Amino acid sequence: MSGILAVIGKGKDPQLVRELSKRMSHRGPDESDFQILKNGSIICHESLAIVDLQSGKQPIQGTKDAWVIHDGEIYNYQELKNGVLKEHTFRTKSDSEVIVHLYEEFGYDFCNKLDGDWTFVIVDGDDYIAGRDPMGVKPLYYGLDERGRIYFASEMKSIADQCKTFSTFPPGHYYTPKKGFVKYYQPEYEDYENANQDLDLQLIRETLTEAVRKRLMSQMPYGVLLSGGLDSSLLSSIASRLSVENGKKLQSFSIALNADAPDAKAARQAAEFLGTDHHEIHFTVQQGVEILEKIIWNIETYDIISVRASVPMFLLSKVIAEKGIKVILSGEGADEIFGGHLYFRNAPSTEEFQKETIERVQKLFTADLLRADKSTMANGIETRIPFLDKEFLDATIRIKPEEKQPRTYDGIEKYILRKAFDIPENPYLPTEILWRQKEQFSDGVGYSWIDELIEYCATQVTDAQLEGAAAEFPYNSPTTKEAYLYRSIFHKFYPQVSAAQTVRKWIPKWQENLDPSGRANAAHVKADVEISKSGITI
């Protein structure tokens, strides 16, 4: 995990480029380095050491003139070294080095050989290639300055004031000067009509277990974010079992306003059942509002749900870092794959249900993944997302939508995921956790967090300011005082129109209340009743 910055082209002051890279030093607190290449391009790396702690310093040179900088993890790097790259000589033991060797072996067409979460830039003389992982777990931006130089960076803050225009690098693509953007990731599930696979509960268990196993690859201590919801609890259960096999005790972490918050209670119960070394952190609304500016500077978005959820995630990751943990697992993605958001219950048809799951998975990089990466990397923590493993996605998104959707009308969202791990003779979780109602993270930490946050924002924005919001912010104009406050903070740090255009606001479908909170959906107050009707005791 790290921060990468590349300036392709001649004439940029190397000291300035290093200063630009240092703007995201939080992503790589362990080490920093750069390389001035023969053609005048400059590549920089801010390192968080997790794999190959001794010799994995970046940038890394290939066999000849090509150099690579990389952010993320390549989980199949050893397999690649033992297989298609077995004739290559490696300078390091780093997973990052396989990228430049794949380029030397296959040219541009190698991204589908990588299994992991990553961004990279390779510069080879006057040629170069940049790429981003299939789902966009790792962030990447690109831009162009007035001299025609092209920039690539892990975070917008390193290039926003240097480029005349910039944008988000699309997931599942690579870019070269000869071909432009090329979409290398083209899974069959992107066509909703290919959702024709029968339900296979064992396959769901096996692929998710393997996804977790891969993501425990680390020479540094790791842990799990355990909110007490289904997604994080399942990951914790699987990770705990795998850790025990390796003679380790899993560390779990939760955060809430107080011990009585919905997530806190459930997390404690799950942790006790799993036998994890559990850490419960509490925060106050005042602590949350005091860091709003820091949060928005770090996560680089004014999206409401992202800001709400980033505050507790940032505070929690700060404590995790203080305990020496550098890698955590998190549960993003399951709601989108299985139609777990409460508004999915209102889908007018199985066809629309399936289309929405695909679209939400494809757009995760604009919100949940951006928030998960940047709010934790702000404290030097790498977040890994097992639910977005390519093999798990292939095994689940193409399941017939009627297998996933009907149960949502009964108040049991993500029914088939729950069913896959409902094994009485070898329970993964207590029944009341396995079948617990969906809570969004920003709700589950304590309902008063959002309520009091909205009240605070109302005291910071006048009626006149809100009335003039469309004129002040003509793109993506805020329509509430909460949205206006976040947008004004964002604008202070990132005033460029290109910056505002990188943000995508998430608005749930098929419900009258457009607030993104899970509690805004009427189903929230009915779920417990409907679950009890189904015969499951909560």
Side-chain angles (χ1 to χ4, degrees), residues 422-440:
D422 190 359
I423 305 175
E425 64 274 16
N426 185 21
Y428 278 77
L429 291 168
T431 298
E432 54 269 39
I433 299 298
L434 185 64
W435 296 94
R436 182 189 175 207
Q437 173 187 271
K438 162 69 182 171
E439 294 276 16
Q440 286 182 207

Side-chain angles (χ1 to χ4, degrees), residues 30-94:
D30 294 329
E31 196 169 43
S32 176
D33 204 357
F34 79 113
Q35 186 72 31
I36 303 173
L37 304 178
K38 291 179 181 179
N39 69 343
S41 299
I42 304 172
I43 53 177
C44 302
H45 190 259
E46 308 295 328
S47 176
L48 176 64
I50 293 175
V51 177
D52 188 14
L53 306 186
Q54 285 75 41
S55 65
K57 187 176 181 179
Q58 296 189 45
I60 298 175
Q61 186 177 11
T63 304
K64 296 180 180 178
D65 294 329
W67 289 77
V68 66
I69 48 175
H70 161 236
D71 173 27
E73 303 295 340
I74 308 300
Y75 302 123
N76 66 332
Y77 80 101
Q78 197 62 54
E79 177 186 333
L80 291 168
K81 291 175 72 171
N82 296 338
V84 296
L85 299 176
K86 63 183 179 181
E87 302 300 326
H88 287 241
T89 300
F90 288 81
R91 299 174 186 270
T92 75
K93 296 180 181 179
S94 169

Side-chain angles (χ1 to χ4, degrees), residues 40 43 79 81 97 135 138 168 197 243 282-283 351 367 380 384 391 397-398 465 478 487 498 507 512 534 538:
I43 53 177
E79 177 186 333
K81 291 175 72 171
E97 190 178 348
M135 306 314 302
K138 304 310 302 170
T168 304
Q197 302 299 301
S243 297
H282 298 157
F283 75 105
E351 178 181 303
R384 297 179 178 176
E391 292 185 11
I397 298 185
R398 292 185 60 203
Q465 285 176 311
R487 182 60 180 277
S498 292
I507 300 176
E512 292 182 8
S534 72
I538 297 298

